[in-house]
């Protein structure tokens, strides 16, 4: 009998959860940040989902959220025309970066010194966080709102996805476009995997994998539903995806075979990401919850303690 997924549900948000991100692995474990239309991004312990704190200060929906590798800094992108940088240890607001329109995406360089933003005004901006009063560098070229912007190739290049149905690779120094991918419909999500330089893109019912340096296509996988987000396992064994049919899908990366699917939420799934150790993945939904799912169902990890393997049940430890 197959073991049954027993997700951990993280409540606390009052509106749809639209973005989430994990930190790297730190001496204190790893951490998870969630962006929500309630305007109150939350920080959690990554392996248990335990609430640590809420970042208070935005006056509108938060569309994007990220942590630096060490989980010492957080950044958020919001509908109040600002991006904010936070001290992730104290929860204090460090910087407010004023924009001309809704901000959708935030991403730190590996050394946490610069922040990349993108949003409705079609402009990519690079802020030097050590010079908060300096004007940001601006990169123009997209003709519609930017959905996601990520550093890549050791922070020497930038990947951006926009509603103009393109994904563009930019050189940071020249600020010129290196290569453009064009699609028939808007890209719904983008994930960059530095180990192996893989770019995961979703559009319509398709999940596509590209080489992030050349933008050469590696493979595409067609799914039964319109997909909003996908994530590749750190070991490249599996990938997971979620979308408009409320389900989560898990696939074998090598064979493209669907391994499992289950109703994950009570609303469309907006975001899904693997943890940095690959032991779990988190999903965020229109239903206002985050859920944590085991990669290997039945393994004792975090709050999962599997006590009755013969019965196929996986129980939660009492925290």
């Amino acid at each position: 009998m197959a073991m049954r997924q027993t997700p951990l549900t993280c409540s606390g948000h009052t509106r749809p959860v639209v973005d989430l991100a994990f930190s790297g692995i730190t001496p204190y474990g790893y951490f998870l940040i969630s962006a929500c239309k309630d305007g109150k991004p939350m920080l959690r312990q990554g392996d248990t989902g335990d609430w640590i704190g809420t970042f208070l200060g935005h006056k509108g929906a938060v569309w994007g959220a990220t942590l630096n590798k060490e989980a010492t800094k957080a950044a958020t992108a919001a509908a109040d025309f600002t991006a904010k940088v936070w001290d992730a240890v104290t929860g204090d607001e460090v910087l407010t970066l004023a924009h001309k329109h809704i901000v959708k995406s935030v991403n730190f360089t590996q050394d946490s010194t610069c922040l990349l933003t993108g949003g409705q005004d079609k402009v990519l901006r690079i802020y030097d966080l050590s010079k908060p009063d300096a004007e940001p560098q601006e990169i123009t070229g997209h003709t519609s709102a930017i959905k996601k912007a990520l550093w890549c190739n050791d922070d020497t290049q930038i990947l951006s996805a926009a509603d103009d149905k393109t994904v563009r690779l930019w050189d940071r120094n020249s600020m010129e476009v290196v290569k453009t991918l064009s699609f028939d419909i808007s890209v719904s999500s983008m994930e960059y995997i530095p180990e192996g330089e893989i770019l995961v893109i979703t559009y319509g019912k398709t999940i596509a994998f590209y080489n992030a340096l050349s933008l050469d296509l590696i493979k595409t996988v067609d799914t039964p539903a319109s997909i909003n987000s996908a994530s590749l396992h750190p070991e490249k064994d599996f990938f997971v995806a979620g979308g408009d049919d409320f389900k989560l899908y898990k696939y074998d990366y090598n064979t493209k075979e669907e391994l499992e699917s289950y109703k994950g939420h009570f609303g469309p799934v907006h975001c899904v990401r693997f943890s940095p150790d690959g032991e779990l993945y988190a999903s965020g939904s229109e239903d206002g919850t985050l859920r944590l799912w085991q990669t290997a169902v039945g393994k004792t990890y975090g709050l999962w303690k599997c006590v009755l393997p013969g019965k196929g049940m996986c129980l939660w430890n009492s925290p």
Side-chain angles (χ1 to χ4, degrees), residues 106-120:
V106 277
N107 191 230
F108 288 107
T109 47
Q110 291 181 55
D111 62 8
S112 310
T113 60
C114 292
L115 187 74
L116 172 66
T117 69
Q120 296 292 106

Side-chain angles (χ1 to χ4, degrees), residues 119 121-124 139-149 158-170 177 180-181:
D121 70 357
K122 314 168 200 171
V123 179
L124 294 163
I139 301 177
T140 56
H142 276 297
T143 57
S144 288
I146 295 164
K147 274 192 176 155
K148 198 78 170 179
I158 290 166
L159 286 158
S160 57
D163 284 335
D164 58 16
K165 303 176 187 170
T166 68
V167 168
R168 305 188 192 203
L169 178 66
W170 309 83
V177 74
T180 301
L181 292 175

Side-chain angles (χ1 to χ4, degrees), residues 72-122:
T72 54
K73 289 181 182 177
T76 49
D80 61 9
F81 293 18
T82 71
K84 289 181 187 285
V85 178
W86 311 80
D87 183 319
V89 180
T90 64
D92 295 333
E93 186 180 309
V94 178
L95 280 177
T96 294
L97 305 169
H99 287 63
K100 296 179 174 69
H101 211 310
I102 292 166
V103 192
K104 284 287 183 79
S105 178
V106 277
N107 191 230
F108 288 107
T109 47
Q110 291 181 55
D111 62 8
S112 310
T113 60
C114 292
L115 187 74
L116 172 66
T117 69
Q120 296 292 106
D121 70 357
K122 314 168 200 171

Side-chain angles (χ1 to χ4, degrees), residues 257-319:
E257 177 192 4
E258 184 186 310
L259 300 175
E260 49 190 300
S261 70
Y262 31 84
K263 188 176 173 188
H265 284 274
F266 296 103
V269 180
H270 291 308
C271 44
V272 59
R273 282 292 176 267
F274 272 106
S275 62
D277 63 1
E279 292 285 356
L280 61 82
Y281 46 102
S283 57
S285 166
E286 185 76 15
D287 67 14
T289 66
L290 288 157
R291 295 193 178 180
L292 304 183
W293 309 83
Q294 277 191 295
T295 303
V297 180
K299 188 172 180 179
T300 296
Y301 177 82
L303 292 179
W304 286 280
K305 185 175 184 184
C306 297
V307 290
L308 299 168
K311 301 277 182 7
M313 276 295 290
C314 189
L315 306 177
W316 287 104
N317 281 330
S318 300

Side-chain angles (χ1 to χ4, degrees), residues 6-172:
T6 310
L8 171 58
T9 300
C10 309
S11 52
H13 284 301
T14 57
R15 297 286 311 283
V17 177
V18 290
D19 192 28
L20 58 86
F22 285 100
S23 71
I25 297 169
T26 79
Y28 307 99
Y30 60 88
F31 299 87
L32 170 63
I33 191 170
S34 52
C36 180
K37 289 186 183 178
D38 63 11
K40 296 173 181 173
M42 290 186 178
L43 184 69
R44 297 176 188 273
Q45 193 73 39
D47 60 337
T48 63
D50 289 343
W51 178 83
I52 294 170
T54 301
F55 299 104
L56 297 173
H58 278 298
K59 295 177 172 64
V62 175
W63 287 103
T66 193
L67 294 164
N68 66 349
K69 279 191 306 193
E70 298 79 18
T72 54
K73 289 181 182 177
T76 49
D80 61 9
F81 293 18
T82 71
K84 289 181 187 285
V85 178
W86 311 80
D87 183 319
V89 180
T90 64
D92 295 333
E93 186 180 309
V94 178
L95 280 177
T96 294
L97 305 169
H99 287 63
K100 296 179 174 69
H101 211 310
I102 292 166
V103 192
K104 284 287 183 79
S105 178
V106 277
N107 191 230
F108 288 107
T109 47
Q110 291 181 55
D111 62 8
S112 310
T113 60
C114 292
L115 187 74
L116 172 66
T117 69
Q120 296 292 106
D121 70 357
K122 314 168 200 171
V123 179
L124 294 163
R125 290 183 176 83
I126 302 169
Y127 290 88
D128 183 338
L129 299 179
S130 67
K131 301 173 187 159
D133 297 329
E135 288 296 307
Q137 288 181 286
E138 296 189 350
I139 301 177
T140 56
H142 276 297
T143 57
S144 288
I146 295 164
K147 274 192 176 155
K148 198 78 170 179
L150 302 170
W151 295 103
C152 68
N153 196 8
D154 291 324
D155 302 333
T156 62
Q157 293 180 311
I158 290 166
L159 286 158
S160 57
D163 284 335
D164 58 16
K165 303 176 187 170
T166 68
V167 168
R168 305 188 192 203
L169 178 66
W170 309 83
D171 182 81
R172 179 191 181 165

Side-chain angles (χ1 to χ4, degrees), residues 155-229:
D155 302 333
T156 62
Q157 293 180 311
I158 290 166
L159 286 158
S160 57
D163 284 335
D164 58 16
K165 303 176 187 170
T166 68
V167 168
R168 305 188 192 203
L169 178 66
W170 309 83
D171 182 81
R172 179 191 181 165
N173 290 328
S174 71
M175 307 206 329
E176 299 291 322
V177 74
V178 179
K179 194 159 182 190
T180 301
L181 292 175
S182 296
F183 298 88
D184 293 333
I185 49 174
S186 267
V187 167
S188 51
S189 76
M190 186 169 72
E191 179 185 53
Y192 167 65
I193 312 286
E195 298 79 17
E197 297 291 346
I198 295 175
L199 182 64
V200 187
I201 294 172
T202 61
Y203 56 94
K205 296 182 175 182
T206 303
I207 304 164
F209 300 88
Y210 288 83
N211 178 292
L213 302 182
S214 64
L215 293 194
D216 291 336
L217 181 65
I218 300 168
K219 67 181 85 176
T220 61
V221 179
D222 293 318
T223 70
S226 186
I227 297 296
N228 296 323
S229 182

